Amino acid sequence: MAKKTPVKRAIVTPDKHFPLADKAAIKVLCKSIELVKPDIYIDLGDVGEWEGCSHWQWKKKKRPPLEYQLPFIEKDIVDVNKGMDIIDESLDKANVKTKYMIEGNHDDWMNRFTEEHPYLNYTFKNVVNLKERGYKFQPIGKYLKIGKLCFYHGHHFASVHHTRNHLMKLGANIMYGHHHDIQQCSVTHMDGVKSAWSIGCLKDMTTEQNAWLGGRQHNWSHAFAIVDFYEGGHFSVYVVMIIKGMTSLWGHFIDGNK
C-alpha cells in the first residue's frame, strides 16, 4: 500500500471578473484542477466585475433610480454565478472539499450597494451562495493564513514594486491578486526569509474587454498558483503561467482554446 503523502496541496486563483473572464484561461484552470486534484482551493477575490453596482460608472453623473439599476445588477449576479458554476464543477470532479473565498474590492461593491439599499440584502457572499457552495468566507481586508503563508485579495501597499512593499510593511509571507501582474520578491528578516507573490489574473485582456484602459499598455498576465504545504507550516510555490490560453503542467500540455 502506498504511503500517504504529508503534503497538502492548494490551487490559488486570482481575479476573474466574471463575465469578463478569459474563457481559454478558465478552461486551462479547470483542466488543471482536475489534473492536480488539490486538497484546498483558494479564490483571491474579484470573482466578479460587478459593473452594474460600480460607483465609478456614475462619476460626474446623477445616479438613476433603483428600478433602472436593478436589471443590470441582477444580470451581474446571474453571470458571476454561471462563472463560479464552471469552476465548482471541476472542483467537484476533483473531490475538493476545502474551499476559501477571499472577498475582493470589486466584490465589495455589492456590499456597498446593499448599505444603500439594505432591504435587498445583496451582499456579495449572499448573491454568490457561498454557504451553499461550501466556501469558507474571508471578508475584504482580512488575511487568511495557512501554515506560514498568508493570503488576501491585494490593494494595500501598492507601488511599482508592490511585492517588496508588502514584505517591508507586513514582514510575512504573502500571496495576493488585485494588481493583475506577476511579481515575486524575497527579503531576509532576523527570523528568516520571507517572500511575496502577486499571481496575475484570469480576466480577458483584449482591448474590447478593457476599453477603460484607453489603449494603454499594461503588464497583466494570466496565471494561477499551486502551493504545497509541508509539516511545520513550510510551503513551496509554483506559479503556472497561461500563455494564449495554453500551459504545460506536470508534463501535460493543456490547451484551453479547444
Side-chain angles (χ1 to χ4, degrees):
M1 183 181 293
K3 185 178 180 180
K4 188 176 181 180
T5 174
V7 173
K8 290 288 186 181
R9 181 161 289 146
I11 280 185
V12 188
T13 65
D15 311 42
K16 298 158 202 69
H17 293 267
F18 289 120
L20 304 183
D22 186 273
K23 293 180 180 178
I26 294 297
K27 282 186 179 180
V28 169
L29 168 63
C30 290
K31 291 179 179 181
S32 298
I33 289 171
E34 294 171 29
L35 171 66
V36 173
K37 294 180 173 57
D39 303 286
I40 304 166
Y41 176 74
I42 302 171
D43 192 312
L44 294 178
D46 277 5
V47 66
E49 177 70 12
W50 303 115
E51 184 178 9
C53 60
S54 168
H55 54 286
W56 294 107
Q57 65 177 315
W58 310 118
K59 187 177 181 181
K60 299 181 180 179
K61 300 176 185 177
K62 183 179 179 180
R63 185 184 290 270
L66 177 61
E67 57 268 26
Y68 176 88
Q69 299 176 65
L70 273 180
F72 299 101
I73 291 170
E74 289 171 351
K75 182 179 185 303
D76 284 346
I77 293 171
V78 170
D79 288 341
V80 174
N81 276 283
K82 283 181 179 178
M84 289 189 65
D85 287 345
I86 293 170
I87 296 174
D88 278 345
E89 182 178 354
S90 289
L91 291 170
D92 288 342
K93 288 180 180 178
N95 198 32
V96 180
K97 300 298 184 185
T98 303
K99 302 188 290 186
Y100 294 94
M101 175 64 72
I102 299 173
E103 194 170 56
N105 60 298
H106 277 249
D107 305 321
D108 188 46
W109 291 352
M110 286 299 296
N111 302 329
R112 298 184 186 188
F113 180 78
T114 292
E115 288 176 3
E116 293 182 37
H117 310 283
Y119 43 86
L120 292 175
N121 198 23
Y122 274 11
T123 60
F124 166 67
K125 67 178 181 179
N126 286 341
V127 297
V128 295
N129 306 305
L130 290 184
K131 185 176 181 180
E132 293 81 357
R133 292 179 182 274
Y135 282 82
K136 298 178 182 180
F137 177 62
Q138 198 76 9
I140 189 168
K142 301 294 183 180
Y143 296 92
L144 168 68
K145 186 176 183 182
I146 301 176
K148 296 180 181 291
L149 179 58
C150 298
F151 303 88
Y152 90 121
H153 172 65
H155 187 55
H156 303 316
F157 320 122
S159 67
V160 174
H161 305 291
H162 46 84
T163 48
R164 182 172 179 80
N165 204 13
H166 274 78
L167 288 174
M168 301 306 291
K169 299 290 186 180
L170 296 177
N173 298 303
I174 186 78
M175 180 177 288
Y176 56 91
H178 183 69
H179 295 272
H180 294 194
D181 65 355
I182 296 175
Q183 279 192 27
Q184 190 269 332
C185 183
S186 298
V187 299
T188 302
H189 295 99
M190 291 185 69
D191 60 344
V193 177
K194 305 291 192 309
S195 296
W197 291 267
S198 169
I199 62 168
C201 72
L202 294 167
K203 185 178 181 180
D204 191 313
M205 298 189 295
T206 62
T207 54
E208 291 81 4
Q209 293 283 33
N210 294 289
W212 59 272
L213 287 172
R216 301 192 302 274
Q217 294 294 321
H218 58 76
N219 59 344
W220 296 1
S221 295
H222 289 151
F224 63 92
I226 298 174
V227 182
D228 284 350
F229 293 97
Y230 309 97
E231 292 180 356
H234 301 289
F235 64 92
S236 59
V237 172
Y238 174 41
V239 177
V240 183
M241 295 183 65
I242 302 171
I243 309 299
K244 295 186 180 296
M246 298 173 287
T247 197
S248 176
L249 178 61
W250 292 0
H252 295 264
F253 173 67
I254 301 175
D255 190 347
N257 299 294
K258 296 180 180 179

